[in-house]
Amino acid sequence: MKLKKQVTVCGAAIFCVAVFSLYLMLDRVQHDPTRHQNGGNFPRSQISVLQNRIEQLEQLLEENHEIISHIKDSVLELTANAEGPPALLPYYMANGSWVVPPEPRPSFFSISPQDCQFALGGRGQKPELQMLIISEELPFDNVDGGVWKQGFDISYSPHDWDAEDLQVFVVPHSHNDPGWIKTFDKYYTEQTQHILNSMVSKLQEDPRRRFLWAEVSFFAKWWENINAQKKAAVRRLVGNGQLEIVTGGWVMPDEANSHYFALIDQLIEGHQWLEKNLGATPRSGWAVDPFGYSPTIPYLLRRANLTSMLIQRVHYAIKKHFASTHSLEFMWRQTWDSDSSTDIFCHMMPFYSYDVPHTCGPDPKICCQFDFKRLPGGRINCPWKVPPRAITEANVAERAALLLDQYRKKSRLFRSNVLLVPLGDDFRYDKPQEWDAQFFNYQRLFDFLNSKPDLHVQAQFGTLSDYFDALYKKTGVEPGARPPGFPVLSGDFFSYADREDHYWTGYYTSRPFYKSLDRVLEAHLRGAEILYSLAVAHARRSGLASQYPLSNFALLTEARRTLGLFQHHDAITGTAKEAVVADYGVRLLRSLVNLKQVIINAAHYLVLGDKETYHFDPEAPFLQMDETRLNHDTLPERTVIQLDSSPRYVVLFNPLEQERLSVVSLLVSSPRVRVLSEEGQPLAVQISAHWSSATDMVSDVCQVSMPIRLPALGLSVLQLQLGLDGHRTLPSSVRVYLHGRQLAVSRQDAFPLRIIDSGTSDFALSNRYMQVWFSGLTGLLKSIRRVDEEQERRVDMEFLIYGTRASKDKSGAYLFLPDGEAQPYIPKDPPVLRVTEGPFFSEVVAYYEHIRQVVRLYNLPGVEGLSLDMSSLVDIRDYINKELALRIHTDIDSQGAFFTDLNGFQVQPRRYLKKLPLQANFYPMPVMAYIQDAQNRLTLHTAQALGVSSLHDGQLEVILDRRLMQDDNRGLGQGLKDNKRTCNHFRLLLERRTLGSEPGFFSKLAAMFRDLIFHSSRTNNLEVQDGHTSSYPSLLSHLTSMYLNIPVFALPVAKRQLPGPGLRSFHPLASSLPCDFHLLNLRTLQAEDDALPSAETALILHRKGFDCGLEAKNLGFNCSTSQGKDHALSQGQVLNH
């Protein structure tokens, strides 16, 4: 009691000081002369000053219950702490609901005004080219442009170059897909190795020759198979500028579905390989084939010290607009950048494709005549029926004039007299004859053109950086600087159409099974990197490195390269042939198994109380994983922990950099189970049945779930015993709704079960934050009511089916060409519903013919309890030309605006454009999408990349899977018929805005500080139409996404006879990192021996920008924020976004 009184008195004193401080602050604000100069609107007379001050104080005092409430909570928490750390023991209410008492520890969280500075920034000059605005204003017509079908006629005067010669750089290149029609290995064996072998000999024949290469994955494989003499020749070619490695990534990645962890990782892997083996550092980016472009890539390239980049696959209407306004070259700036620190110079290729017919100029019929691989007698020809002719003394003048005309026309689309002309295509230059045909014929043309001063042209072979260097020199700026008069652009280039209404929006969802497996591998790689780095550092410091399997580094390297390979723009996109997809799948699974081994070995070492006893035995691992996959195309099966008289131990790994409170669920062999903490304290657990189908309980397996507080980046130990603790082993109850179907439901005595044959009444689940209503008929979500609100918010779900067109052009792996609006999904039978209610979670499972939909509500304070956990197990293998969608309807007044993330790194506002076809309004969703109005925001978080849209106000719609029977004529030659049973995992978060009509105390406080700090900035980024081109998730949304994408790893101890004290929890951090910091990776770098680690580790940190306008009180966070400061946490890279 004494402590209670002390804390209460202390809290009251704090409150008094707070109110008095606010009074003084208001006094300062009223009399601050700078406020008057900055446009503050204050009364002049003493009476009105006093009146104004009193009114504000009254308003603050009216709302002081929030402070009192926080003080009261703190008193309760401190008192609970003082009386010992009891377990979270829920109790059952008379109304049938479970209540979990407040946590016995402080979890007060408040946002500092400084935290809001980044999201409220953007006070710099707006870019001239904002893609959001351009898309709204462009007509997107498709007028026939003549020879340049998607453009216009280009005219020029021969005297345009009298003052300054046209400088032409022809850039030979070969685009090598690391898997598409053939597997990576087959492409290498049959084509790529021959291209690179010929490159070495042919470039050495003439120092004027140049060549461009992008894919380090192929280059590294080739490097392993060539001799030292050839390696030395390659280094010379790189050194003298004849060979340029562009971008330097492991692959040329897809930019729609890839997560920024994987994008950075494949970039590091490629750059480190180049530095070690070639001593080369890429200067320019080259992305000719990704199907649309994200601004995340230019940001990463700029941070990797590249100064220039090139893109190609942009919507034809945007290309035409940029060409007509001389905007094809621009400084690409991040939407959230308030100055030019993120700028990178970007060149957009103007025409249809990166092949030779579409790169020399606007007329493909003429350009094709200068692709000398197509000389008569070869395997390919020109579709325009006019073949190339070898260049001779007799025809060189006529041929050079024809080519120069195309060069001149193309140059009129740009602002400088330096011209880039790529010369290549997919897997080109694979035979010596092609090298000879291209280089000899072009050199004759160059020699002729350069010998005629009256033509005012200088033409030569060049690399991409040769071109950019010449442009910078001509415009008088340093490499990477903005040339005078060139525009600045912000935004992205999604969604892409290459002709007519053929939008490449299908690949955002194609083959979702592997999109999900990609994210699983990513989470395992990050976890393995962190644990391996920590374990190796500890072992070396303790003199135990000889006992630790340092050789696991080779497994890490292989997994990095596998994840990198899968970021390729025909891999994660789901746009490769079936056999190639299977090859990717085998690689992904092999790396996943290897990473589990790395995690097991590191966790084993780190949890041992006595590290001297560590013994690495690959034949008998100390730990096992919680799940296994039998094949690359099957869903995981969870490990069942067999219980008997001996205790079993489980090690839990939290890969997050913040402490987390999560429900951990394990499968065990008996419902009679007790769970103890490391200290031997019994934990409250929820016991649930394990089901093999809608109506069949598994007799000898059940699920035990318990809330666990896990240390940041740490390992905890649990003990499982056979036995029953009536107070702490809490069974869950089950209701099964059969809707009139004659089905037998199996029972177990341990689990109360009620069968409802024909009930259709709506029902609700609830926790401390919300009450969630479901349809008794469909089992799907209907509405959410916050506990402190009277009104329910409509959040209802439905499944929909899209067909494809009856015309010649149909949906395929790339294209989404629906036959109209989606139609409701109508199952043959009504669904079986299963409702489970328990102390720590409750859930509704709806079994449909093609979908099993699960919505789970956790009854926990903090992140877990504030959102709905949802999963959709989809199986559409009996569909023909159909796509399955999930649509969420709300009463949010979104006004045609919605928001999707780019690569999990930033958020891009979108607007539904009625002038465009339905399929054009879909966008990639790697981690989240949301809609909002002045009061609420609804965010759908996803654990796998999928296509998303908002086709009507208040709606969010996601495509879950696609089954299509035909090719869509983009070169693949197959449909999408290899569907798998796929589980899509989501979190649905409904948040309330604090800047609405009745802002709370802390909102006003934050707004007051905002006014003091940013006199002219806008504080509300709600509406796209107001010119806001950036938006941010809330801090809660960021953490929700982390919980979803970075799950807890449960590692059962394989050996049963182990004394408890032998294992100890591992806490690598003295305290959690700030809530807005994310430890992206802790990546051990390789030593000179590729298979072993060096003593160096790369720490990559990301500080996240977040929207302060969403409610941030009573969220149960146990971490602070960085308060807008660059913390010197390490010498690692801080991704300031």
Side-chain angles (χ1 to χ4, degrees), residues 125-409:
Q125 187 176 358
K126 290 196 186 308
E128 299 96 306
L129 305 173
Q130 295 183 56
M131 291 310 302
L132 196 64
I133 295 172
I134 288 171
S135 296
E136 289 183 0
E137 293 177 350
L138 267 188
F140 286 96
D141 50 7
N142 191 15
V143 179
D144 192 324
V147 293
W148 178 17
K149 190 170 178 57
Q150 296 172 333
F152 46 84
D153 288 329
I154 306 170
S155 60
Y156 65 87
S157 163
H159 299 291
D160 286 349
W161 294 272
D162 287 354
E164 186 178 73
D165 285 0
L166 178 63
Q167 194 174 0
V168 180
F169 289 90
V170 173
V171 180
H173 69 97
S174 181
H175 178 65
N176 283 236
D177 290 302
W180 180 38
I181 306 301
K182 305 175 187 177
T183 65
F184 174 81
D185 287 335
K186 195 168 186 182
Y187 268 138
Y188 173 78
T189 302
E190 296 182 2
Q191 289 169 277
T192 305
Q193 65 170 333
H194 304 304
I195 297 168
L196 293 170
N197 285 330
S198 296
M199 173 196 76
V200 179
S201 58
K202 293 299 179 181
L203 288 184
Q204 290 182 98
E205 289 179 6
D206 188 335
R208 295 173 295 180
R209 294 179 177 180
R210 300 287 184 271
F211 196 63
L212 206 63
W213 191 264
E215 299 83 11
V216 176
S217 50
F218 273 130
F219 208 90
K221 185 175 177 68
W222 173 67
W223 191 260
E224 293 171 1
N225 294 292
I226 62 175
N227 59 33
Q229 183 181 1
K230 193 172 280 189
K231 288 178 180 177
V234 172
R235 291 190 185 103
R236 284 195 302 273
L237 292 169
V238 170
N240 69 18
Q242 284 186 261
L243 169 63
E244 181 179 15
I245 310 292
V246 280
T247 309
W250 201 245
V251 296
M252 183 185 294
D254 171 48
E255 301 189 18
N257 301 290
S258 292
H259 191 268
Y260 78 109
F261 174 95
L263 290 172
I264 291 172
D265 207 63
Q266 64 88 29
L267 201 59
I268 292 174
E269 192 63 28
H271 280 211
Q272 292 228 296
W273 189 94
L274 290 170
E275 182 182 29
K276 181 183 176 187
N277 293 284
L278 299 181
T281 303
R283 296 172 52 208
S284 302
W286 172 266
V288 291
D289 205 23
F291 326 134
Y293 298 93
S294 162
T296 304
I297 292 287
Y299 175 79
L300 297 177
L301 296 184
R302 189 71 195 90
R303 288 292 177 260
N305 287 324
L306 279 74
T307 53
S308 321
M309 62 179 293
L310 172 146
I311 59 176
Q312 151 61 23
R313 288 193 184 271
V314 173
H315 193 295
Y316 61 87
I318 292 172
K319 282 194 172 200
K320 177 180 178 179
H321 173 67
F322 277 27
S324 66
T325 57
H326 298 98
S327 302
L328 289 164
E329 291 181 320
F330 48 84
M331 303 303 293
W332 199 342
R333 181 176 299 170
Q334 301 303 308
T335 55
W336 38 267
D337 183 8
S338 59
D339 54 32
S340 58
S341 64
T342 62
D343 286 12
I344 185 170
F345 186 82
C346 183
H347 172 102
M348 181 189 294
M349 294 170 63
F351 306 125
Y352 174 76
S353 172
Y354 55 83
D355 62 6
V356 182
H358 297 95
T359 47
C360 90
D363 191 342
K365 179 178 179 180
I366 292 173
C367 290
C368 194
Q369 298 172 47
F370 293 91
D371 181 359
F372 295 103
K373 180 171 182 170
R374 303 178 195 247
L375 285 165
R379 289 175 59 190
I380 59 169
N381 52 35
C382 284
W384 297 269
K385 309 298 185 188
V386 182
R389 291 172 12 218
I391 305 303
T392 64
E393 288 288 334
N395 69 12
V396 66
E398 176 260 324
R399 303 310 289 170
L402 191 63
L403 182 60
L404 179 58
D405 176 64
Q406 290 300 302
Y407 287 170
R408 285 173 167 173
K409 285 177 176 174

Side-chain angles (χ1 to χ4, degrees), residues 641-652 666 668 672-685 704 706 708 716-723 729 1051-1053 1055-1056 1058-1063:
I641 300 172
Q642 298 296 324
L643 300 175
D644 57 24
S645 56
S646 303
R648 293 295 306 269
Y649 294 89
V650 177
V651 175
L652 301 175
L666 304 168
V668 293
R672 298 180 65 253
V673 59
R674 297 175 70 231
V675 180
L676 283 71
S677 68
E678 181 188 353
E679 296 81 17
Q681 180 186 357
L683 301 178
V685 299
V704 57
M706 50 264 154
I708 302 286
S716 296
V717 181
L718 292 180
Q719 183 183 156
L720 277 65
Q721 296 178 350
L722 199 58
T729 304
L1051 315 168
V1053 175
K1055 298 177 182 176
R1056 300 185 186 188
L1058 184 80
L1063 301 182

Side-chain angles (χ1 to χ4, degrees), residues 613-682:
T613 63
Y614 177 77
H615 174 64
F616 169 60
D617 183 356
E619 299 304 317
F622 180 77
L623 299 169
Q624 53 188 135
M625 292 301 287
D626 189 33
E627 62 180 30
T628 55
R629 290 176 185 254
L630 298 177
N631 209 330
H632 71 87
D633 57 0
T634 57
L635 291 169
E637 296 185 6
R638 295 167 64 193
T639 302
V640 179
I641 300 172
Q642 298 296 324
L643 300 175
D644 57 24
S645 56
S646 303
R648 293 295 306 269
Y649 294 89
V650 177
V651 175
L652 301 175
F653 171 41
N654 171 25
L656 283 183
E657 56 285 325
Q658 284 93 28
E659 186 180 76
R660 85 197 274 173
L661 175 64
S662 287
V663 170
V664 173
S665 295
L666 304 168
L667 292 185
V668 293
S669 59
S670 169
R672 298 180 65 253
V673 59
R674 297 175 70 231
V675 180
L676 283 71
S677 68
E678 181 188 353
E679 296 81 17
Q681 180 186 357

Side-chain angles (χ1 to χ4, degrees), residues 46-57:
Q46 289 296 314
I47 294 173
S48 56
V49 167
L50 183 60
Q51 182 182 348
N52 188 41
R53 195 182 311 161
I54 289 170
E55 283 176 359
Q56 292 190 52
L57 273 175

Side-chain angles (χ1 to χ4, degrees), residues 1045-1065:
N1045 282 284
I1046 306 176
V1048 173
F1049 290 99
L1051 315 168
V1053 175
K1055 298 177 182 176
R1056 300 185 186 188
Q1057 296 78 21
L1058 184 80
L1063 301 182
R1064 290 183 190 159
S1065 59

